[in-house]
């Protein structure tokens, strides 16, 4: 497994070794010991979620506040997504900046997102099955979000805006400058 730091500190791109043969492929999808050595701290994933979505579905931009803030490890089991994170740590020099990466089931890259980031993705393939490992339990009372189409954030979701499918809850989130952020 290979790890690379992204331009925004804390974000890690994980690339499992993929072994292909006539049967298909095998990959060691996650190794806690190697990952913890790379990030220099312990991680305890306690919940795993899977979503299945069609082309154009946009989920996000979500985060949870303390004491239920979550670090996440995002991977795609089927299909392709554009994964987007926004740094919402006020003390960060990257505050308000976004990071984007395409994740798919071909190269099996993953993105580790520490606490202090809003997260969302849009499906670029016909369907996508996305897996989220998290280090804290989901609690709806502590869930927050940002408007996915906030002009301040100016995120290029890589698909026509008319093709984006968003639920009512995600449409109702406030803009970037009026939301709760991490210190």
């Amino acid at each position: 497994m290979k790890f690379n730091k992204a331009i925004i500190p804390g974000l890690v791109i994980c690339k499992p070794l993929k072994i292909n043969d006539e049967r298909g492929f095998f990959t060691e999808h996650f190794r806690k010991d190697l990952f913890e050595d790379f990030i220099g701290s312990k991680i305890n994933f306690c919940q795993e979620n899977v979503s299945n979505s069609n082309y154009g579905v946009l989920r996000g931009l979500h985060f949870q506040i303390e004491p239920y803030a979550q670090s996440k490890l995002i991977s795609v089991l089927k299909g392709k997504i554009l994964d987007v994170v926004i740094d919402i740590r006020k003390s960060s020099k990257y505050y308000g900046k976004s990071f984007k990466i395409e994740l798919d089931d071909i190269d099996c890259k993953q993105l580790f997102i520490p606490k202090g980031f809003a997260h969302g993705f849009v499906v670029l393939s016909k369907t996508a099955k996305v897996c989220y490992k998290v280090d804290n339990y989901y609690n709806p009372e502590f869930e927050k979000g940002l408007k996915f189409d906030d002009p301040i954030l100016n995120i290029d979701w890589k698909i026509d805006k008319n093709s984006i499918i968003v639920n009512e809850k995600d449409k109702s989130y406030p803009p970037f400058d009026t939301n709760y952020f991490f210190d």
Side-chain angles (χ1 to χ4, degrees):
M1 193 164 221
K2 292 183 181 178
F3 305 102
N4 293 305
K5 294 178 180 180
I7 191 161
I8 299 177
L11 298 174
V12 178
I13 301 164
C14 309
K15 176 96 181 188
L17 173 64
K18 188 174 176 185
I19 302 167
N20 293 291
D21 64 21
E22 66 278 358
R23 300 169 293 173
F25 76 87
F26 171 84
T27 186
E28 199 172 62
H29 200 67
F30 178 70
R31 279 276 306 261
K32 183 177 169 133
D33 59 340
L34 297 178
F35 184 69
E36 288 177 342
D37 286 348
F38 184 80
I39 64 171
S41 62
K42 297 288 185 188
I43 190 83
N44 182 27
F45 293 122
C46 60
Q47 183 175 321
E48 186 171 78
N49 309 307
V50 175
S51 68
N52 193 65
S53 307
N54 295 322
Y55 175 81
V57 168
L58 190 150
R59 295 180 183 263
L61 297 158
H62 307 137
F63 60 97
Q64 288 194 172
I65 58 173
E66 294 295 350
Y68 289 94
Q70 297 175 321
S71 296
K72 300 176 181 177
L73 181 63
I74 309 298
S75 60
V76 174
L77 305 174
K78 176 185 176 189
K80 182 177 184 177
I81 65 169
L82 177 68
D83 207 52
V84 176
V85 295
I86 308 295
D87 189 341
I88 57 172
R89 303 170 296 179
K90 276 197 169 182
S91 61
S92 171
K93 76 176 189 176
Y94 295 93
Y95 175 72
K97 302 292 185 216
S98 65
F99 175 81
K100 299 186 288 189
I101 186 171
E102 289 185 13
L103 302 175
D104 62 41
D105 62 351
I106 304 299
D107 68 11
C108 302
K109 278 189 296 195
Q110 303 168 37
L111 181 63
F112 174 73
I113 307 162
K115 294 172 175 81
F117 288 82
H119 171 253
F121 67 86
V122 68
V123 177
L124 301 177
S125 54
K126 185 176 177 180
T127 62
K129 189 177 286 189
V130 179
C131 178
Y132 323 56
K133 287 178 176 37
V134 294
D135 69 348
N136 206 346
Y137 296 107
Y138 173 72
N139 187 315
E141 293 177 33
F142 293 84
E143 182 179 25
K144 302 288 183 183
L146 301 173
K147 284 183 86 59
F148 75 95
D149 59 352
D150 187 322
I152 292 172
L153 299 175
N154 193 30
I155 299 168
D156 177 4
W157 290 99
K158 288 195 154 194
I159 65 172
D160 182 79
K161 188 173 181 175
N162 295 324
S163 297
I164 294 176
I165 303 164
V166 182
N167 71 10
E168 289 306 312
K169 182 171 98 176
D170 288 356
K171 286 180 185 176
S172 72
Y173 285 130
F176 176 75
D177 61 350
T178 63
N179 214 309
Y180 173 91
F181 301 101
F182 286 79
D183 293 325

